[in-house]
Amino acid sequence: MNNFLNSKIYGLTAESLSKGKTNLQVVSEMIAAGIKVIQYREKEKSFKAMYEECLAIRKLTKEAQVTFIINDRLDLALAVDADGLHIGQDDLPITIARKLLGKDKILGLSTHSPQEAHLAEDSNIVDYIGVGPIFDTATKKDAGKGLGLDFLNYVSNNIKIPFVAIGGIKKHNLTEVKKRGARIIALVTEIVGEQDIKQRVDEIRAILHNSNG
């Protein structure tokens, strides 16, 4: 969790939004830009294709000492020896996910309400939670309507375990998210859709550095 706790940006893959770049290319550019936590999120490919892609990404991330997390697919996370798994409310129960994943791997859980956030924290099973979607987003088909900044503000003031703010976060609303207490922020299209990922990450870091909160 060291990378996680010391990171401000949580990177995610989204090949359909990467304007022709492969997930491997995007991850390489994220690593070059200094991003230390990267989640592989892919829904449309065969398991074999994802496995081969993640093997290559695992090699890159391991060499760069970058934390590599797989979205949803426990079997894929185990197959490539990823650093962790991120699941949603409708995926495996966290007790089963933890048992199969092992105690030394990172387990993250998406939350969409104060109740879900408290249940995750009280479980003593998950290492961090995702908080969102903060704003409306088109990057995840089943994300639902944006919850707004009130939920983020609630989590910042009432939940002690680490959390990632996610969902529709872009340069123009980044300061508002930071002011509501978000320490780790996930941006998808704002990073993967850029021709020059390093330049965009540098711009995001500058905004975060100059934001109050």
Side-chain angles (χ1 to χ4, degrees):
M1 285 289 287
N2 284 342
N3 273 347
F4 190 96
L5 296 172
N6 292 311
S7 294
K8 293 182 178 179
I9 300 171
Y10 183 109
L12 290 97
T13 64
E15 195 167 81
S16 64
L17 301 169
S18 298
K19 297 183 178 176
K21 293 181 184 178
T22 66
N23 284 326
L24 190 59
Q25 288 174 306
V26 167
V27 168
S28 296
E29 291 184 42
M30 285 183 182
I31 291 171
I35 292 177
K36 289 294 186 181
V37 181
I38 298 173
Q39 182 191 125
Y40 178 84
R41 188 165 73 180
E42 180 64 62
K43 306 282 188 182
E44 308 301 328
K45 298 185 180 184
S46 69
F47 183 85
K48 182 180 179 183
M50 290 191 292
Y51 172 70
E52 291 174 349
E53 192 167 56
C54 283
L55 273 182
I57 293 173
R58 170 72 286 192
K59 185 174 185 294
L60 281 179
T61 53
K62 201 161 195 175
E63 289 172 352
Q65 297 185 314
V66 167
T67 299
F68 182 41
I69 294 172
I70 303 282
N71 179 262
D72 286 352
R73 298 295 299 263
L74 173 67
D75 51 355
L76 185 58
L78 293 173
V80 302
D81 192 28
D83 297 307
L85 174 73
H86 186 96
I87 57 178
Q89 293 290 323
D90 296 326
D91 295 320
L92 272 176
I94 55 174
T95 51
I96 303 301
R98 173 56 77 195
K99 181 180 179 181
L100 296 173
L101 190 64
K103 60 181 175 59
D104 296 327
K105 300 287 187 179
I106 297 169
L107 181 60
L109 177 68
S110 295
T111 64
H112 316 293
S113 69
Q115 181 186 21
E116 290 178 355
H118 280 293
L119 285 171
E121 180 175 50
D122 293 344
S123 73
N124 291 316
I125 293 173
V126 300
D127 297 296
Y128 76 93
I129 58 172
V131 175
I134 306 301
F135 305 108
D136 291 347
T137 175
T139 64
K140 196 163 183 271
K141 293 175 184 175
D142 59 350
K145 189 170 176 58
L147 300 170
L149 294 165
D150 287 345
F151 177 41
L152 174 59
N153 199 57
Y154 180 89
V155 171
S156 298
N157 290 315
N158 295 280
I159 301 296
K160 302 304 179 189
I161 62 171
F163 67 90
V164 177
I166 187 169
I169 302 172
K170 302 184 183 301
K171 277 176 63 178
H172 70 83
N173 56 35
L174 196 53
T175 298
E176 289 305 307
V177 172
K178 175 78 182 301
K179 283 181 177 178
R180 296 315 194 283
R183 290 184 59 249
I184 309 163
I185 299 171
L187 304 98
V188 185
T189 54
E190 196 73 350
I191 292 176
V192 304
E194 284 301 306
Q195 188 62 37
D196 189 334
I197 286 177
K198 185 179 185 307
Q199 180 179 325
R200 177 48 55 92
V201 171
D202 287 344
E203 292 168 358
I204 290 166
R205 282 206 181 95
I207 293 169
L208 292 173
H209 179 73
N210 293 320
S211 300
N212 294 322

